[in-house]
Amino acid sequence: EVPLARPVSRFPSSDIDLAFVVDESTPAEELRRTLLTASDEVQPVVVELFDVFRSEQLGAGRKSLAFRLRFQEPDRTLTDTEVAGARAAIIGAAESVHGATLRG
């Protein structure tokens, strides 16, 4: 499979980090796919897992998965309102699909 290159946007990106506490049995890739497609308006162009944390503080059988999300459009700068709406949709999808909770 040959990877396809995307044109590089000349507009700035908005990056946010979100960590979710999920059941130990939840695969990170399943949660990542949910995050990629959760927002109807603005979708992240990158969703990258950067940390897996396990601790008794999270509860038995729980783990934290932290993702970096990058939002960017090829033809304009996104507004704070657009990014905030996408963030809310992504958190809601993680909660409803995977029973995730946002880690404070």
Side-chain angles (χ1 to χ4, degrees):
E1 183 175 318
V2 177
L4 299 176
R6 290 181 337 135
V8 176
S9 177
R10 61 186 182 98
F11 296 93
S13 65
S14 293
D15 296 355
I16 58 173
D17 293 344
L18 296 173
F20 296 97
V21 178
V22 294
D23 287 331
E24 184 66 45
S25 63
T26 302
E29 180 57 23
E30 282 186 20
L31 179 54
R32 190 185 83 78
R33 282 195 303 264
T34 298
L35 304 181
L36 268 170
T37 59
S39 176
D40 289 334
E41 239 177 83
V42 177
Q43 292 186 350
V45 293
V46 174
V47 176
E48 179 179 60
L49 177 70
F50 71 88
D51 185 50
V52 178
F53 176 72
R54 292 174 176 89
S55 170
E56 289 301 317
Q57 297 171 356
L58 299 175
R62 307 283 285 166
K63 65 182 174 184
S64 172
L65 301 173
F67 293 89
R68 177 156 296 124
L69 293 86
R70 173 166 287 164
F71 298 91
Q72 189 172 36
E73 291 293 325
D75 57 347
R76 66 188 175 87
T77 300
L78 292 169
T79 67
D80 290 342
T81 302
E82 289 173 313
V83 174
R87 180 184 184 275
I90 286 167
I91 292 168
E95 291 172 345
S96 65
V97 174
H98 301 283
T101 56
L102 188 64
R103 186 168 167 222

